[in-house]
């Protein structure tokens, strides 16, 4: 059994070719620009869509735990996940994200599109959240993916101990691994991530399989938009061949609203990707392929 938040078919930005992306629940980080905050907690997460809600308050009356109040607020500490609120809402304004699925079932679902993967050199991408959070189930999932002849990519924070990476490595063809900052304190303060763990994992991959790694850097205003060249240099030193600079976007904002948490970048607009184009030349200087976008 593995806890999944979503399975997305025909994904084209999560690795080569046409892919099915399996998003898992659970993440040790809390990046304030996250596009998938509903994956953070292992428990199911309630999303409330204000655009659909007609304020009838049926959900609140149905909740014996008094976990719902108005203006709509969900109290996770009181919720026992009976999902009576979701069932009672005639407007489909409430949905819970996070479902336990047998690993065989996930594989069956992914294999439905194997012909497309084969024609496009695509495959499956395991994303999140942080896939390594559900380590045993994740390991079983990637093993079974390989047994079924799938190309396996993983979108990962790199924020876990090296022994986990060593165990999973034989079953993973491509790591799309984040590098968000090179200053340990800034990284910790803003995202909760541990830079030592991340760099340790990068060094290991660089030593044993540099061709399996694409470094991904979400470029975020006032956080790391001034250190893109530093990250490129870091990749050059480790002989990692490719960096993807991901322009800041606000596509996750609606989910933050649906979770009734304030999106810190409310006032920021999407980053113009052309601003990052000069880094392609800087990458050439350092012998690193720089791509703008995923
Ligand atoms: S039951 Fe649905 S429509 Fe009614 S208040 Fe609750 S969320 Fe809104
Ligand atoms: S899942 Fe049950 S306990 Fe949780 S908010 Fe809905 S009705 Fe209340």
């Amino acid at each position: 059994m593995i806890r999944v938040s979503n399975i997305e078919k025909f994904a084209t930005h999560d690795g080569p070719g046409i892919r099915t992306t399996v998003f898992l629940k659970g993440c040790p980080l809390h990046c304030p620009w996250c596009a998938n905050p509903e994956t953070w907690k292992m428990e199911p997460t309630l999303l409330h869509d204000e655009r659909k809600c007609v304020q009838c308050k049926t959900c609140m009356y149905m909740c014996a735990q008094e976990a719902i109040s108005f203006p709509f607020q969900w109290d996770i500490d009181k919720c026992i996940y009976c999902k009576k609120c979701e069932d009672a809402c005639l407007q489909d304004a409430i949905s819970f994200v996070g479902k336990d699925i047998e690993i065989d079932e996930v594989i069956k679902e992914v294999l439905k599109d194997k012909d497309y993967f084969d024609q496009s050199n695509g495959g499956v991408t395991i994303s999140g959240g942080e896939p390594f959070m559900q380590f045993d189930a994740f390991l079983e999932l990637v093993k079974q993916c390989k047994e079924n002849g799938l190309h396996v990519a993983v979108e990962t924070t790199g924020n876990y101990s090296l022994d986990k990476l060593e165990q999973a490595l034989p079953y993973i063809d491509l790591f799309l691994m984040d590098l968000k900052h090179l200053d340990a304190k800034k990284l910790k303060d803003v995202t909760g991530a541990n830079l030592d763990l991340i760099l340790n994992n990068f060094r290991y991959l660089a030593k044993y399989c540099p061709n399996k790694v694409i470094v991904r850097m979400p470029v975020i205003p006032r956080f790391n938009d001034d250190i893109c060249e530093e990250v490129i240099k870091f990749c050059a030193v480790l002989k990692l061949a490719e960096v993807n600079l991901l322009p800041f976007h606000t596509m996750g904002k609606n989910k933050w609203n649906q979770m009734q948490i304030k999106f810190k970048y409310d006032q920021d607009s999407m980053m113009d990707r052309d601003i990052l184009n000069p880094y392609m030349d800087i990458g050439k200087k350092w012998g690193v392929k720089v791509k703008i976008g995923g």
Side-chain angles (χ1 to χ4, degrees):
M1 205 72 98
I2 192 158
R3 191 159 289 179
V4 173
S5 72
N6 190 20
I7 297 180
E8 195 176 298
K9 294 179 167 243
F10 293 97
T12 52
H13 295 287
D14 303 331
I18 294 171
R19 313 189 71 81
T20 292
T21 303
V22 181
F23 292 88
L24 303 183
K25 281 283 271 176
C27 186
L29 274 52
H30 44 75
C31 307
W33 56 84
C34 181
N36 299 313
E38 78 285 8
T39 63
W40 287 358
K41 288 196 184 295
M42 281 305 299
E43 298 85 8
T45 299
L46 185 152
L47 297 182
H48 172 253
D49 190 339
E50 272 200 353
R51 293 164 305 185
K52 292 182 180 172
C53 178
V54 294
Q55 307 285 320
C56 66
K57 299 191 181 174
T58 307
C59 52
M60 184 178 84
Y61 301 132
M62 287 303 292
C63 180
Q65 308 301 317
E66 300 184 349
I68 292 177
S69 55
F70 275 78
F72 192 94
Q73 199 67 38
W74 174 56
D75 187 338
I76 188 172
D77 295 327
K78 290 184 179 169
C79 182
I80 56 165
Y81 307 103
C82 66
K83 300 195 178 168
K84 286 185 181 158
C85 52
E86 184 182 27
D87 294 342
C89 177
L90 299 177
Q91 310 299 323
D92 280 335
I94 291 180
S95 56
F96 276 89
V97 177
K99 211 165 140 187
D100 289 337
I101 307 181
E102 295 288 352
I103 290 173
D104 292 358
E105 292 302 315
V106 178
I107 298 285
K108 255 191 234 163
E109 192 56 36
V110 170
L111 285 175
K112 284 181 185 168
D113 289 337
K114 183 136 189 323
D115 288 349
Y116 296 108
F117 305 156
D118 292 345
Q119 283 161 24
S120 66
N121 291 323
V124 62
T125 299
I126 317 299
S127 184
E130 167 50 64
F132 279 71
M133 277 285 281
Q134 299 185 57
F135 185 65
D136 293 341
F138 163 70
L139 193 59
E140 186 55 33
L141 177 63
V142 289
K143 270 184 194 169
Q144 290 198 26
C145 286
K146 280 318 299 168
E147 280 165 17
N148 282 281
L150 294 166
H151 176 274
V152 179
V154 176
E155 284 187 331
T156 177
T157 64
N159 192 79
Y160 36 80
S161 60
L162 182 57
D163 65 297
K164 289 185 174 160
L165 182 67
E166 285 171 328
Q167 289 178 64
L169 184 58
Y171 312 105
I172 296 172
D173 298 296
L174 180 64
F175 287 85
L176 303 164
M177 191 137 126
D178 283 359
L179 186 54
K180 296 172 176 125
H181 216 295
L182 290 164
D183 179 309
K185 184 170 175 350
K186 278 188 187 155
L187 184 70
K188 182 87 186 164
D189 287 350
V190 174
T191 71
N194 179 326
L195 187 63
D196 286 343
L197 288 177
I198 295 168
L199 295 189
N200 210 20
N201 287 335
F202 268 118
R203 285 189 204 102
Y204 182 85
L205 292 174
K207 185 171 175 190
Y208 292 105
C209 53
N211 296 334
K212 277 191 177 187
V213 187
I214 294 178
V215 180
R216 285 190 148 183
M217 178 187 179
V219 183
I220 308 299
R222 304 177 296 285
F223 173 60
N224 63 4
D225 49 352
D226 55 344
I227 63 151
C228 295
E229 185 162 359
E230 240 186 281
V231 167
I232 293 167
K233 277 193 230 169
F234 170 84
C235 297
V237 170
L238 287 191
K239 297 193 169 36
L240 296 169
E242 184 172 337
V243 180
N244 294 171
L245 297 178
L246 312 176
F248 168 79
H249 65 78
T250 54
M251 285 183 294
K253 186 175 160 182
N254 192 32
K255 289 183 187 164
W256 287 74
N257 292 340
Q258 292 191 43
M259 290 169 65
Q260 306 97 54
I261 41 179
K262 188 167 168 44
F263 184 56
K264 191 180 162 191
Y265 297 93
D266 244 344
Q267 302 305 316
D268 288 284
S269 41
M270 309 264 272
M271 186 177 282
D272 178 356
R273 54 191 295 134
D274 291 349
I275 288 175
L276 300 175
N277 284 344
Y279 290 109
M280 292 196 283
D281 283 337
I282 290 172
K284 278 182 200 150
K285 190 174 88 185
W286 291 99
V288 176
K289 179 182 171 189
V290 174
K291 202 174 136 197
I292 312 303

